[in-house]
Amino acid sequence: MSLAIEWIEDRAAFDGLAGEWEALLPEDSHPFDLHCWYAAWWDAFGAAAAPAVCTARRGGELVGAFPLRRSGSRLGALANSHSAGLFRPLAADGEALEALVAAAASDRAPTIELEHLPQDGETLPLLEAGMREASRMLLPDGGFTSPIVETDGDFDAWRAQSKPRWGAPLERFRRKMGRDHEAELAIVVEPGDLEAELAAGFEVEASGWKGEAGTAILSTPETEAFYRQIARSFHERGELRLSRIVLDGELAAFDFCFLHRGRLYLQKTGFDERFRRLAPGLVLRLATVERCFELDLAAHELLGDASEWKLKFANAERRRVVLRAYRRSPRGATRYAYRRALRPPLRSAYRRLRPRGR
């Protein structure tokens, strides 16, 4: 039976896919595959980059979805720096996946830029083959590595292996919290008063360097709206988990996580700089890892890049890459040449000339 390709650019039409989308989820699905994730992105950021979701149907049944967006003359993933975890097309079978890739590759956009693709698995090779089949010029990028704490073994063994990397007496700090303060730890729990707990947590997350750098949840109205919507959506699914350390009635550290199919995904975290001497962020991370072992979860996904604090705990990793594909047209060839030949030396020169300390 032949496949029918349709591009969804209307919000109401996208809403209509929710039930069928759920049926497409693979056994190894992650939160960033879910329809509610992309719906929140559409509502928060869709005005700046128009969503264009490529779908495939067989006999009227949805068998594939490729969540994409148009930004200027680029076709890219329906994601940005705030929302990207892992990205991939969803398909019921290989034929549907190939059809989605072929439809995207043959699009009129001079540049296709797909970030946060998993390096392992069938998605990346199939995307590369489909882009070549459409005569696009490929320019893969190494991307970055996201640390993972695998928690399907023995906590004591993990503790013995990771403790030399902690760089601080975290267990002593936790005991000191209990001696010197009225301390409350709530680790990997469903929220009671969702809106109040989000408001307090977002304030703490924005109180440090993230707020100064403009990367905090509260940095823009669009970003705050996105996180509030995904919090409500995952809470309705029973998959939102928050963690907190409260000292003398003050929120000292906060986690915003998703618990999906036996894995705990750390979406956002923050701590109050006033309690820095007790390393509340690291104490919270250790307590969270221990709780993951107690709950018999497979892993605690730390997401993002390989920051130093994450490497104190991680015992595994996931590599994510960027795939860029350019049409063999004057505009596409110019962009390909710039990205491949001119941009690297320009970036190197910028780094050499940039004032230190910034």
Side-chain angles (χ1 to χ4, degrees), residues 198-210:
L198 289 180
F202 291 176
E203 287 289 343
V204 165
E205 195 259 347
S207 65
W209 67 268
K210 293 181 183 179

Side-chain angles (χ1 to χ4, degrees), residues 145-220:
T145 298
S146 294
I148 301 171
V149 186
E150 293 184 343
T151 58
D152 56 353
D154 178 72
F155 173 74
D156 290 335
W158 171 85
R159 176 183 175 277
Q161 184 267 336
S162 65
K163 187 173 182 179
R165 301 196 304 272
W166 294 352
L170 301 182
E171 294 160 320
R172 182 161 61 84
F173 284 166
R174 179 170 176 173
R175 293 192 295 269
K176 184 174 176 61
M177 288 178 181
R179 289 196 310 270
D180 298 350
H181 302 272
E182 184 178 335
E184 173 199 347
L185 277 74
I187 308 300
V188 191
V189 297
E190 295 189 56
D193 186 339
L194 176 62
E195 298 302 328
E197 291 177 38
L198 289 180
F202 291 176
E203 287 289 343
V204 165
E205 195 259 347
S207 65
W209 67 268
K210 293 181 183 179
E212 296 174 359
T215 62
I217 292 172
L218 297 180
S219 295
T220 69

Side-chain angles (χ1 to χ4, degrees), residues 10-340:
D10 175 75
R11 183 65 168 81
F14 181 72
D15 286 345
L17 298 177
E20 294 179 290
W21 194 291
E22 192 80 10
L24 277 180
L25 297 177
E27 291 185 2
D28 66 343
S29 72
H30 49 68
F32 320 107
D33 285 329
L34 302 183
H35 183 276
C36 64
W37 176 267
Y38 291 111
W41 196 99
W42 194 315
D43 288 342
F45 306 114
V53 180
C54 184
T55 64
R57 290 187 177 275
R58 183 185 293 120
E61 178 186 356
L62 184 71
V63 292
F66 202 168
L68 300 170
R69 63 185 173 101
R70 298 189 188 279
S71 180
S73 58
R74 284 184 172 85
L75 185 67
L78 196 65
N80 60 14
S81 59
H82 279 287
S83 67
L86 290 169
F87 176 79
R88 60 184 175 180
L90 300 176
D93 50 51
E95 182 187 21
L97 184 56
E98 289 178 4
L100 290 174
V101 173
S106 61
D107 188 80
R108 65 183 184 276
T111 304
I112 296 176
E113 189 169 289
L114 303 174
E115 300 177 302
H116 306 289
L117 295 167
Q119 187 177 57
D120 298 332
E122 65 175 353
T123 301
L124 182 60
L126 198 149
L127 283 166
E128 290 176 332
M131 297 298 169
R132 290 193 183 97
E133 183 70 21
S135 297
R136 286 186 177 267
M137 299 174 286
L138 296 187
L139 196 59
D141 188 315
F144 59 91
T145 298
S146 294
I148 301 171
V149 186
E150 293 184 343
T151 58
D152 56 353
D154 178 72
F155 173 74
D156 290 335
W158 171 85
R159 176 183 175 277
Q161 184 267 336
S162 65
K163 187 173 182 179
R165 301 196 304 272
W166 294 352
L170 301 182
E171 294 160 320
R172 182 161 61 84
F173 284 166
R174 179 170 176 173
R175 293 192 295 269
K176 184 174 176 61
M177 288 178 181
R179 289 196 310 270
D180 298 350
H181 302 272
E182 184 178 335
E184 173 199 347
L185 277 74
I187 308 300
V188 191
V189 297
E190 295 189 56
D193 186 339
L194 176 62
E195 298 302 328
E197 291 177 38
L198 289 180
F202 291 176
E203 287 289 343
V204 165
E205 195 259 347
S207 65
W209 67 268
K210 293 181 183 179
E212 296 174 359
T215 62
I217 292 172
L218 297 180
S219 295
T220 69
E222 295 82 6
T223 304
E224 181 181 359
F226 171 74
Y227 279 99
R228 287 192 179 278
Q229 184 167 333
I230 59 172
R232 296 182 190 115
S233 296
F234 279 86
H235 187 41
E236 290 175 2
R237 293 176 59 90
E239 295 184 348
L240 180 67
R241 296 293 184 272
L242 305 181
S243 297
R244 63 183 179 272
I245 295 177
V246 178
L247 301 178
D248 300 326
E250 299 287 340
L251 185 61
F254 168 79
D255 269 5
F256 178 108
C257 296
F258 303 131
L259 179 55
H260 181 75
R261 299 201 175 182
R263 304 177 80 86
L264 185 70
Y265 294 82
L266 176 63
Q267 188 62 31
K268 282 289 187 176
T269 187
F271 68 92
D272 191 324
E273 297 280 352
R274 293 177 298 170
F275 300 101
R276 174 177 285 276
R277 61 185 178 82
L278 292 173
L282 297 179
V283 171
L284 181 61
R285 189 63 40 230
L286 177 59
T288 300
V289 172
E290 184 174 8
R291 183 61 178 150
C292 287
F293 276 99
E294 292 171 353
L295 294 172
D296 199 26
L297 301 183
H300 183 22
E301 300 260 0
L302 301 181
L303 302 177
D305 61 8
S307 302
E308 181 182 358
W309 68 266
K310 298 176 186 178
L311 297 178
K312 295 177 184 292
F313 305 98
N315 54 8
E317 63 184 26
R318 177 180 288 106
R319 187 72 183 170
R320 299 188 291 181
V321 300
V322 181
L323 178 62
R324 296 181 179 89
Y326 301 85
R327 286 189 67 185
R328 294 184 184 275
S329 65
R331 181 183 292 186
T334 299
R335 291 181 176 179
Y336 175 81
Y338 167 75
R339 173 70 66 168
R340 178 168 183 165

